[in-house]
Amino acid sequence: MMNYILFLIAFLAFYFWLFRLMKKATHGLNPGQLAFVFTGKVLASCFYGWLLLHYYGGDDTWVIHEDTLMEWEQMKINPLRFFVYEIDLRQYITDMGWKEGLPYFRMKLEKAIINKPLGIFNFYSQGNFYVNMVAFSFISFWGSFWLYQVLADLMPGYKKWTFLVLFFYPPALFWLSGLRSDAMLFFFFSLFVSRLYRQWQIMPAKANLWVASLAWIGMAVVKASFALLLLIPIFAWWLTVRKKWPLKKAFGGTTLVFLGLFFLSAAFPEPFNLPNAVANVQQEFFKLEGNTRVDLPALSSDPVTYIKNLPAALDNIFLRPFPWDAKGILQYAMSAQNIFIICLVVLVFIRR
């Protein structure tokens, strides 16, 4: 009964906090929409944790929850270590050197982004996973909201569709509500895009650039490869908005130039040999254990291997798992999503 009471109080407190913030937001949500969205986020996050616990043995989300409990215990014993010592870059570099110390520091920061706030919140929730999901939903909510603001401003005639897709498209609602780093990656991505949109198309301000820079660092902490690749379309966006380049020239030309630079880097030694670096990451990924495996050709620094791998990569990205390959409810849902998106793309081409 106490957990139910804590859950309800936390839900109402965070809802009213969001409601007050909405009053100051352009393209905000009305009280009914906000209640609908926040309730959906909380229920999805709780369902995510319950499903993975009962059918998949807990998976990463319950490992993260256990980490937050350890953070809570650490804070009670040694608050200084909780806030400072465990993410001491200088100490990691002294002990491991730059090559190993910097990636280890990034990994510790990635964990801290989730574990530290929820570790503190455990003083209220008393370590209850589902109460913690209310607090985490308050954070993950902003990922969808900031992107909604941008798209609502760009396409005001499609606000209802934008609202439904960003907040209630089932796969996104499920995966971006769970206790996992993907939700934080989307949080930083949306903050990054929304601040650049403000800077380039609404009202330039130094604060926008500072916040965008911090958001990009947040993305780099959670998924460095994503943050680096994102700079390519962001640069093309800047060319179209600030330099008035034609859309096709900006995005097509930028992509081709960076693709050429990627393969030309094969002439340099490591760590500047980017094709070889990607091939090494692929080999590390092949070593991971899992119930489902898709065989892909091995990459090397030779561009020909990338060309040979392209059909299998596109198949893996857009088509897998096929309905007959799926194992378990989550993979069947992923297969259904792939079919839906393919039909949507076909419809776009038919209706231009």
Side-chain angles (χ1 to χ4, degrees), residues 91-349:
Q91 189 63 49
Y92 296 148
I93 293 173
T94 301
D95 295 341
M96 306 178 189
W98 279 98
K99 188 175 181 180
E100 295 182 6
L102 197 58
Y104 187 75
F105 174 69
R106 188 205 63 80
M107 181 269 291
K108 295 290 285 186
L109 274 182
E110 179 186 354
K111 290 186 175 182
I113 287 171
I114 295 177
N115 295 348
K116 299 294 184 183
L118 291 185
I120 296 172
F121 189 72
N122 276 321
F123 279 103
Y124 171 80
S125 69
Q126 294 299 296
N128 183 275
F129 173 85
Y130 298 102
V131 179
N132 281 350
M133 287 305 92
V134 180
F136 188 72
S137 296
F138 174 82
I139 299 172
S140 64
F141 159 84
W142 295 101
S144 298
F145 177 71
W146 285 322
L147 199 56
Y148 167 78
Q149 284 185 305
V150 172
L151 294 178
D153 191 66
L154 280 171
M155 304 181 294
Y158 291 89
K159 280 183 69 173
K160 291 182 179 179
W161 281 110
T162 303
F163 174 81
L164 289 173
V165 170
L166 283 178
F167 291 112
F168 292 104
Y169 178 56
L173 177 62
F174 179 77
W175 291 108
L176 295 177
S177 298
L179 185 59
R180 50 189 290 130
S181 58
D182 301 65
M184 299 310 302
L185 181 62
F186 190 49
F187 172 94
F188 289 121
F189 166 77
S190 298
L191 179 59
F192 180 67
V193 169
S194 66
R195 285 296 170 170
L196 289 184
Y197 180 75
R198 286 172 180 263
Q199 176 69 19
W200 294 341
Q201 298 189 236
I202 298 179
M203 184 180 296
K206 287 185 179 179
N208 290 329
L209 294 177
W210 278 109
V211 173
S213 299
L214 291 174
W216 187 86
I217 292 172
M219 285 189 289
V221 167
V222 178
K223 186 71 71 175
S225 57
F226 178 85
L228 290 171
L229 286 171
L230 183 63
L231 293 178
I232 300 172
I234 290 298
F235 179 63
W237 181 20
W238 177 78
L239 289 174
T240 61
V241 174
R242 308 300 291 181
K243 299 299 180 180
K244 307 302 179 184
W245 280 35
L247 199 66
K248 292 181 180 179
K249 180 182 177 182
F251 281 88
T254 301
T255 301
L256 289 175
V257 167
F258 278 95
L259 197 60
L261 292 173
F262 173 82
F263 286 116
L264 286 174
S265 70
F268 295 95
E270 293 186 4
F272 306 105
N273 187 327
L274 298 181
N276 198 50
V278 172
N280 291 337
V281 172
Q282 185 198 45
Q283 289 302 317
E284 293 175 5
F285 192 78
F286 284 161
K287 296 176 184 178
L288 296 176
E289 297 294 331
N291 296 326
T292 305
R293 182 172 296 275
V294 177
D295 293 326
L296 294 174
L299 297 170
S300 71
S301 59
D302 186 352
V304 175
T305 62
Y306 282 80
I307 297 173
K308 289 182 178 179
N309 203 357
L310 185 59
L314 293 175
D315 169 53
N316 191 36
I317 292 169
F318 294 108
L319 302 179
R320 296 297 182 100
F322 297 123
W324 51 87
D325 292 333
K327 298 176 183 178
I329 184 173
L330 293 181
Q331 290 191 15
Y332 281 114
M334 187 179 296
S335 179
Q337 174 193 231
N338 291 344
I339 294 171
F340 172 73
I341 291 177
I342 291 168
C343 293
L344 207 59
V345 170
V346 171
L347 181 64
V348 167
F349 277 99

Side-chain angles (χ1 to χ4, degrees), residues 57-127:
D59 200 65
D60 291 346
T61 191
W62 285 90
V63 174
I64 294 172
H65 175 62
E66 291 296 327
D67 289 342
T68 70
L69 299 182
M70 288 189 287
E71 294 282 3
W72 180 31
E73 293 299 323
Q74 183 63 60
M75 188 176 180
K76 290 189 286 187
I77 298 170
N78 190 343
L80 186 61
R81 183 178 179 84
F82 175 88
F83 287 107
V84 180
Y85 292 159
E86 290 193 346
I87 47 176
D88 188 346
L89 175 60
R90 184 181 60 180
Q91 189 63 49
Y92 296 148
I93 293 173
T94 301
D95 295 341
M96 306 178 189
W98 279 98
K99 188 175 181 180
E100 295 182 6
L102 197 58
Y104 187 75
F105 174 69
R106 188 205 63 80
M107 181 269 291
K108 295 290 285 186
L109 274 182
E110 179 186 354
K111 290 186 175 182
I113 287 171
I114 295 177
N115 295 348
K116 299 294 184 183
L118 291 185
I120 296 172
F121 189 72
N122 276 321
F123 279 103
Y124 171 80
S125 69
Q126 294 299 296

